[in-house]
């Protein structure tokens, strides 16, 4: 621990903390562009000036480590003046096209101009113009004019993604950021450069012009792209449409980053890919009716002791809580014994980092939790080919598919879907419109997508992470837990009716 | 209080008579055309409204006929009635980055406050002068780009001041207004 003094206030911080971070911890804002806690120090932007006691010149805070006795001032007139002129330098050739810039609203230039600038520009010279709308591959668009040459993206590609793509070319006011010959970015981590760019020079193609950021609300969750379980923010508008995912800092999992594949998993939650109404044979029906219909058919099996004719398909996309709710009812109450899934154990065994960074080969966010919960309920899993055969031989007559969003299960289940005959009763619990289309004859009940769920998922390292998004996109889509509860209620009231004969 | 005062406060008849006298006087005056008439023979006669009157919006145009709006959504942000709906997109014109693929105003929700006009950074939306609105269906009050920029009442006068040729210096061109040799002229 080190005792330091900022603006006359004594603070205790960990030894060797970066001064910018230490100040931020205690609610003191030191403006900075080039400093990023996940990258090396560049000292490029000269925004973080502070006055250090015993030092005649202003110093950059980002290059200062806290140690005992450090005394700095961040709010003196001298510091304020220096920051102001640093900012003016950044704006000398900046196009200020905020109206068409996707960064507007979360832009470092805008924020610091309102806080530390607010001057009339003293430049009379015309601005130096540079290339706009440079296509850098599938994910990123570059606007060279807007760049303030902080070199964050350069350091990211050099130090983190190790793709070494960005560089600063030329000198003086002709300096431009770019890749060699404007080559497209490669690798699976390109959009992180968009996140760290403090201005609108690097913008995401996927989010381009989609929405102004001040309309977006934020929720916390965990990515469902793979077993890594990167922490994310979901940016949605009033819970009706998700616009993008942003990485959320977690030191032990993903640090400040996430991969591009995971970043686009939100698309499966939006309207065009969602099942929004309960459907029977592709025709909408009220949710209650769907549940009581399902309960009635289940009752036929349970009352005639034909539980071994019921088959359930599960995936590790479900949270621990969802799985517990499902198994509590299916195993403990209905005594169903036949469960099927992809070879999850195999996936877990073979799980490894695909590109030596974040993305892993196991595509499920909760494989470990899945296996554990199944073990707790003593469930043995059958393979999908077993399932298809049993269906073909009419040994399974009532089928329950719990299908998550995404395409993986759709391709996986085509074999099973082909085996189904009209006399099978098929129930699909899914947020996925394509799952309903795959089992066209089914009773499909909409559930929540991953990003609306509340619960726990366990990542590849055994770390249990809570997710709680607190928004619901469609009125008729319920969580698996509440669907199970509705089913249990409907089932017991159905049986009562049978017994009393009413 | 005298006798009549008492009667007046006790009985409503006198009040009614007084009221009728006023109505009657106006009736006779208007009938024979004495003095100013507060009503006019609309629509043959029309009032002259102030130039500051705020009626149906106008989307301004650049000289090439394209709309000046950049789809920044500041007007939609500022609108208290939340009646502006914009969908931004990449413009088909390579010289323009962002443009509104859809720009709709729901005139029935609009309160004609003019906040959208205030918010616009490029003089792309103005409050127009027309106020006569009649439609058969609610849906017709949601007006789009075509109506807002090209309705006949505008007579093509809606050119954005940001795009008048002598006011804007295009990239790589000399400013028309800056004298040669001035430090405002671009050194080429
Ligand atoms: S980078 Fe920031 S200041 Fe520059 S145009 Fe974009 S929003 Fe405006
Ligand atoms: S593109 Fe962005 S991150 Fe890269 S140097 Fe420029 S301002 Fe910094
Ligand atoms: S006049 Fe007011 S209410 Fe109407 S669109 Fe503009 S901002 Fe909205
Ligand atoms: S009318 Fe003006 S404020 Fe509204 S989106 Fe267009 S440019 Fe922006
Ligand atoms: S943050 Fe310190 S110089 Fe940029």
């Amino acid at each position: 621990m080190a005792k330091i003094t900022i603006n006359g206030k004594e603070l205790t911080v960990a030894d060797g903390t970066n001064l910018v971070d230490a100040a931020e911890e205690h609610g003191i804002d030191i403006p900075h562009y080039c400093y990023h806690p996940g990258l090396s120090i560049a000292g490029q932007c000269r925004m973080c000036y502070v006055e250090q006691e015993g030092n005649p010149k202003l110093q950059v805070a980002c290059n200062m480590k806290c140690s005992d006795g450090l005394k700095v001032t961040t709010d003196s007139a001298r510091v304020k003046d220096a920051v102001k002129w640093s900012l003016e330098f950044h704006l000398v050739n900046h196009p200020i096209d905020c109206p068409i810039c996707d960064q507007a609203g979360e832009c470092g230039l805008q924020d610091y101009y309102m806080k530390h600038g607010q001057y009339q520009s003293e430049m009379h010279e015309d601005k130096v113009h540079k290339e706009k709308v440079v296509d850098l591959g599938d994910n990123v668009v570059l606007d060279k004019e807007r760049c303030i040459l902080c070199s964050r993206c350069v350091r990211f590609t050099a130090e983190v993604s190790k793709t070494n793509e960005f560089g600063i070319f030329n000198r003086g006011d002709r300096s431009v950021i770019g890749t060699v010959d404007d080559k497209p970015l490669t690798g699976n981590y390109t959009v992180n450069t968009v996140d760290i760019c403090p201005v609108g020079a690097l913008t995401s193609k996927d989010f381009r012009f989609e929405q102004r950021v001040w309309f977006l609300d934020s929720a916390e969750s965990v990515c469902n792209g793979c077993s890594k379980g990167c922490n994310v923010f979901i940016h949605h508008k009033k819970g009706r449409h998700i616009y993008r995912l942003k990485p959320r800092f977690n030191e032990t999992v993903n640090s400040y980053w996430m991969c591009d594949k995971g970043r686009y998993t939100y698309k499966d939650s939006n309207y065009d890919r969602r099942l929004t109404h309960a459907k029977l044979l592709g025709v909408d029906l009220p949710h209650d009716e769907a549940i009581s219909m399902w309960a009635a058919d289940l009752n036929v099996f349970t009352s005639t002791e034909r539980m071994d004719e019921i088959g359930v398909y599960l995936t590790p996309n479900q949270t621990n809580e969802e799985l517990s709710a499902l198994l509590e009812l299916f195993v403990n109450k209905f005594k169903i014994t036949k469960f099927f899934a992809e070879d999850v154990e195999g996936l877990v065994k073979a799980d490894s980092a695909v590109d030596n960074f974040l993305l892993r080969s196991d595509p499920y966010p909760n494989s470990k939790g899945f296996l554990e919960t199944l073990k707790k309920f003593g469930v043995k899993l059958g393979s999908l080919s077993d399932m298809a055969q049993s269906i073909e031989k009419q040994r399974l007559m009532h089928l329950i598919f719990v299908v998550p969003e995404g395409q993986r299960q759709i391709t996986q289940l085509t074999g099973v879907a082909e085996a189904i005959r009209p006399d099978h009763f098929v129930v699909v619990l899914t947020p996925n419109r394509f799952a309903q289309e795959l089992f066209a004859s089914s009773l499909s009940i909409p559930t929540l997508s991953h990003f609306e769920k509340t619960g726990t998922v366990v990542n590849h390292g055994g770390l249990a992470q809570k997710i709680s998004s607190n928004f619901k996109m469609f009125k008729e889509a319920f969580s698996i837990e509440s669907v199970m509860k509705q089913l249990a209620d409907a089932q017991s009231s159905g049986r009562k009716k049978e017994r009393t004969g009413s | 209080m005298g006798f009549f005062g008492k009667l007046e406060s006790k009985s409503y008849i006198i009040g009614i008579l007084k009221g009728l006298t006023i109505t009657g006087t106006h009736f006779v005056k208007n009938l024979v055309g004495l003095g100013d008439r507060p009503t006019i023979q609309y629509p043959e006669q029309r009032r002259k409204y102030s130039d500051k009157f705020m009626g149906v919006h106008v989307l301004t145009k650049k000289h090439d006929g394209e709309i000046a709006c950049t789809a920044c959504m500041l007007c939609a942000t500022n609108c208290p009635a939340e009646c502006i709906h914009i969908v931004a997109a990449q413009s088909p014109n390579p010289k323009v980055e962002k443009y509104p693929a859809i720009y709709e105003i729901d005139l029935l929700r609009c309160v004609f406050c003019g906040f959208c006009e205030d918010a616009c950074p490029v003089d792309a939306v103005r409050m127009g002068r027309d106020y006569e609105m009649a439609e058969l269906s609610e849906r017709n009050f949601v007006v789009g780009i075509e109506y807002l920029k090209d309705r006949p009442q505008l007579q093509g006068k809606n050119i954005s001041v940001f795009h008048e040729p002598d006011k804007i210096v295009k990239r790589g061109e000399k400013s028309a207004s800056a004298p040669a040799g001035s430090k405002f002229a671009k050194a080429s």
Side-chain angles (χ1 to χ4, degrees):
Chain A
M1 282 293 164
K3 274 203 165 49
I4 62 166
T5 315
I6 305 181
N7 301 340
K9 258 205 302 200
E10 276 225 1
L11 309 168
T12 322
V13 296
D15 229 345
T17 324
N18 189 290
L19 182 57
V20 177
D21 293 338
E24 197 181 296
E25 251 172 59
H26 291 91
I28 300 163
D29 174 50
I30 299 180
H32 58 276
Y33 288 135
C34 68
Y35 173 66
H36 188 285
L39 301 172
S40 63
I41 309 288
Q44 190 102 344
C45 70
R46 316 315 277 184
M47 283 296 287
C48 61
Y49 279 130
V50 293
E51 224 173 330
Q52 185 188 7
E53 202 183 84
N55 201 330
K57 280 179 125 183
L58 294 180
Q59 298 296 309
V60 285
C62 64
N63 205 11
M64 252 190 228
K65 297 250 187 305
C66 294
S67 59
D68 246 336
L70 179 70
K71 271 190 189 162
V72 294
T73 321
T74 69
D75 57 359
S76 67
R78 208 170 143 219
V79 170
K80 280 186 184 157
D81 198 53
V83 171
K84 186 172 146 179
W85 294 117
S86 284
L87 187 58
E88 162 120 35
F89 265 122
H90 285 304
L91 287 168
V92 164
N93 289 317
H94 190 83
I96 320 193
D97 44 7
C98 310
I100 55 162
C101 178
D102 274 335
Q103 188 83 1
E106 52 182 9
C107 172
L109 284 172
Q110 289 183 333
D111 293 350
Y112 289 152
Y113 181 79
M114 296 316 286
K115 250 188 190 159
H116 308 283
Q118 297 200 316
Y119 45 74
Q120 204 63 43
S121 172
E122 297 195 359
M123 297 299 296
H124 296 304
E125 284 71 19
D126 280 344
K127 297 199 178 223
V128 177
H129 289 293
K130 295 170 190 167
E131 267 177 284
K132 296 179 87 67
V133 205
V134 182
D135 189 330
L136 290 187
D138 296 338
N139 302 312
V140 180
V141 183
L142 169 65
D143 186 308
K144 297 186 179 178
E145 265 181 353
R146 292 183 195 150
C147 171
I148 56 163
L149 299 166
C150 72
S151 84
R152 273 186 181 185
C153 55
V154 179
R155 281 172 285 146
F156 176 83
T157 50
E159 295 160 14
V160 182
S161 71
K162 306 245 169 39
T163 43
N164 295 307
E165 282 149 327
F166 277 110
I168 295 176
F169 301 89
N170 295 338
R171 288 183 299 173
D173 64 2
R174 310 278 155 89
S175 308
V176 287
I177 191 76
T179 56
V180 178
D181 297 335
D182 292 338
K183 277 201 192 113
L185 298 177
T186 55
N188 192 21
Y189 299 94
T190 56
V191 190
N192 290 305
T193 58
V194 174
D195 296 338
I196 56 173
C197 181
V199 298
L202 294 168
T203 49
S204 151
K205 232 183 215 179
D206 180 54
F207 186 64
R208 189 168 165 81
F209 303 158
E210 281 291 315
Q211 196 50 259
R212 309 288 355 218
V213 299
W214 54 84
F215 290 124
L216 298 179
D217 306 311
S218 171
E220 293 180 5
S221 189
V222 167
C223 172
N224 74 338
C226 78
S227 64
K228 185 81 193 173
C230 292
N231 292 209
V232 296
F233 286 113
I234 308 163
H235 287 173
H236 60 95
K237 191 173 175 186
K238 294 180 179 157
R240 297 215 193 99
H241 192 94
I242 302 181
Y243 283 96
R244 62 178 181 185
L245 298 183
K246 286 256 171 193
R248 180 159 60 91
F249 175 68
N250 186 329
E251 205 175 343
T252 51
V253 183
N254 57 319
S255 182
Y256 297 91
W257 323 114
M258 74 182 289
C259 79
D260 295 349
K261 179 176 168 270
R263 213 177 268 269
Y264 299 139
T265 51
Y266 77 88
K267 294 191 176 197
D268 292 326
S269 294
N270 280 338
Y271 181 77
D272 53 337
R273 300 189 190 172
R274 286 290 290 276
L275 180 69
T276 55
H277 271 95
K279 281 187 191 229
L280 178 66
L281 294 160
V283 182
D284 286 4
L285 84 164
H287 185 82
D288 308 341
E289 241 170 69
I291 296 278
S292 47
M293 199 177 278
W294 183 15
D297 199 73
L298 267 178
N299 273 346
V300 174
F301 286 85
T302 47
S303 56
T304 51
E305 303 284 329
R306 284 157 60 205
M307 270 76 77
D308 57 340
E309 287 180 26
I310 305 175
V312 183
Y313 167 83
L314 296 172
T315 66
N317 272 77
Q318 264 52 57
T319 64
N320 286 351
E321 286 78 358
E322 285 175 332
L323 287 169
S324 299
L326 279 165
L327 297 179
E328 187 65 47
L329 197 67
F330 289 168
V331 177
N332 291 357
K333 194 154 172 228
F334 297 159
K335 311 285 180 225
I336 297 173
T337 50
K338 293 196 173 144
F339 288 86
F340 302 90
E342 175 181 6
D343 178 18
V344 180
E345 242 161 281
L347 283 175
V348 171
K349 250 182 227 140
D351 189 22
S352 62
V354 177
D355 42 19
N356 295 322
F357 191 27
L358 296 173
L359 183 67
R360 299 188 71 84
S361 59
D362 176 2
Y364 292 114
N366 194 25
S367 297
K368 287 239 160 129
F370 178 76
L371 292 177
E372 223 159 80
T373 317
L374 256 55
K375 215 159 134 207
K376 214 163 67 192
F377 285 89
V379 171
K380 291 249 149 33
L381 285 177
S383 74
L384 288 180
S385 49
D386 286 354
M387 189 176 196
Q389 271 177 14
S390 312
I391 295 172
E392 223 152 88
K393 293 191 185 137
Q394 308 274 20
R395 270 195 237 124
L396 291 176
M397 298 309 291
H398 184 108
L399 299 153
I400 301 164
F401 293 91
V402 185
V403 188
E405 61 266 49
Q407 280 300 320
R408 185 182 174 89
Q409 286 73 26
I410 306 301
T411 38
Q412 215 173 67
L413 287 172
T414 34
V416 175
E418 274 161 16
I420 286 171
R421 301 280 158 267
D423 47 353
H424 289 110
F425 192 86
V426 182
V427 180
V428 186
L429 291 181
T430 185
N432 192 341
R433 117 165 335 165
F434 306 112
Q436 188 274 325
E437 280 162 18
L438 181 67
F439 297 101
S441 64
S442 68
L443 175 69
S444 300
I445 298 174
T447 57
L448 297 185
S449 71
H450 178 83
F451 291 115
E452 299 155 83
K453 285 179 190 170
T454 302
T456 320
V457 289
V458 183
N459 83 346
H460 72 101
L463 179 75
Q465 305 195 85
K466 277 237 162 331
I467 53 175
S468 53
S469 304
N470 281 330
F471 70 94
K472 186 171 158 180
M473 297 173 73
F474 303 102
K475 206 167 74 229
E476 305 251 316
F478 295 92
S479 70
I480 298 247
E481 291 97 313
S482 51
V483 171
M484 287 301 109
K485 206 170 155 293
Q486 291 158 7
L487 178 66
D489 292 348
Q491 204 254 354
S492 52
S493 70
R495 298 199 68 157
K496 232 178 267 157
K497 263 189 216 154
E498 251 168 49
R499 256 181 271 130
T500 52
S502 60
Chain B
M1 207 182 268
F3 170 73
F4 280 107
K6 254 189 211 158
L7 192 66
E8 195 176 344
S9 62
K10 285 248 167 71
S11 145
Y12 53 87
I13 293 195
I14 293 185
I16 286 179
L17 285 180
K18 271 188 179 171
L20 280 178
T21 322
I22 293 174
T23 328
T25 326
H26 279 298
F27 174 69
V28 175
K29 263 196 202 166
N30 282 343
L31 202 64
V32 298
L34 274 175
D36 284 344
R37 273 186 207 159
T39 50
I40 55 165
Q41 295 298 321
Y42 181 84
E44 290 82 19
Q45 262 179 322
R46 276 153 201 271
R47 265 189 224 293
K48 190 173 164 1
Y49 277 97
S50 149
D51 276 346
K52 293 174 189 159
F53 179 82
M54 298 202 277
V56 179
H57 312 67
V58 178
L59 281 182
T60 61
K61 295 192 275 193
K62 298 184 234 172
H63 278 272
D64 56 6
E66 261 186 74
I67 49 174
C69 174
T70 63
C72 72
M73 301 196 198
L74 291 182
C75 50
T77 308
N78 212 25
C79 174
E82 294 186 16
C83 64
I84 306 181
H85 173 64
I86 302 170
V87 174
Q90 177 87 39
S91 169
N93 180 350
K95 285 191 189 146
V96 179
E97 249 190 90
K98 194 179 176 187
Y99 89 119
I102 297 174
Y103 187 111
E104 285 176 345
I105 300 182
D106 185 341
L107 294 174
L108 286 187
R109 289 187 68 175
C110 174
V111 296
F112 297 96
C113 60
F115 284 12
C116 46
E117 186 182 25
D118 289 351
C120 184
V122 291
D123 181 39
V125 65
R126 289 185 203 155
M127 302 307 285
R129 303 287 166 256
D130 20 340
Y131 50 87
E132 286 155 317
M133 290 179 272
E135 287 294 345
L136 290 174
S137 146
E138 272 175 43
R139 175 62 206 150
N140 297 343
F141 283 98
V142 179
V143 289
I145 294 176
E146 279 314 304
Y147 179 82
L148 290 169
K149 79 164 194 217
D150 276 338
R151 61 178 180 271
Q153 294 95 303
L154 301 175
Q155 300 166 323
K157 283 187 198 147
N158 50 328
I159 301 296
S160 164
V161 294
F162 268 67
H163 295 274
E164 299 207 11
D166 52 345
K167 283 197 182 156
I168 187 164
V169 187
K170 289 221 194 74
R171 182 186 297 188
E173 268 177 16
K174 280 213 171 108
S175 157
S177 55
S182 121
K183 66 176 178 177
F184 296 100
K186 188 182 169 83
S188 49

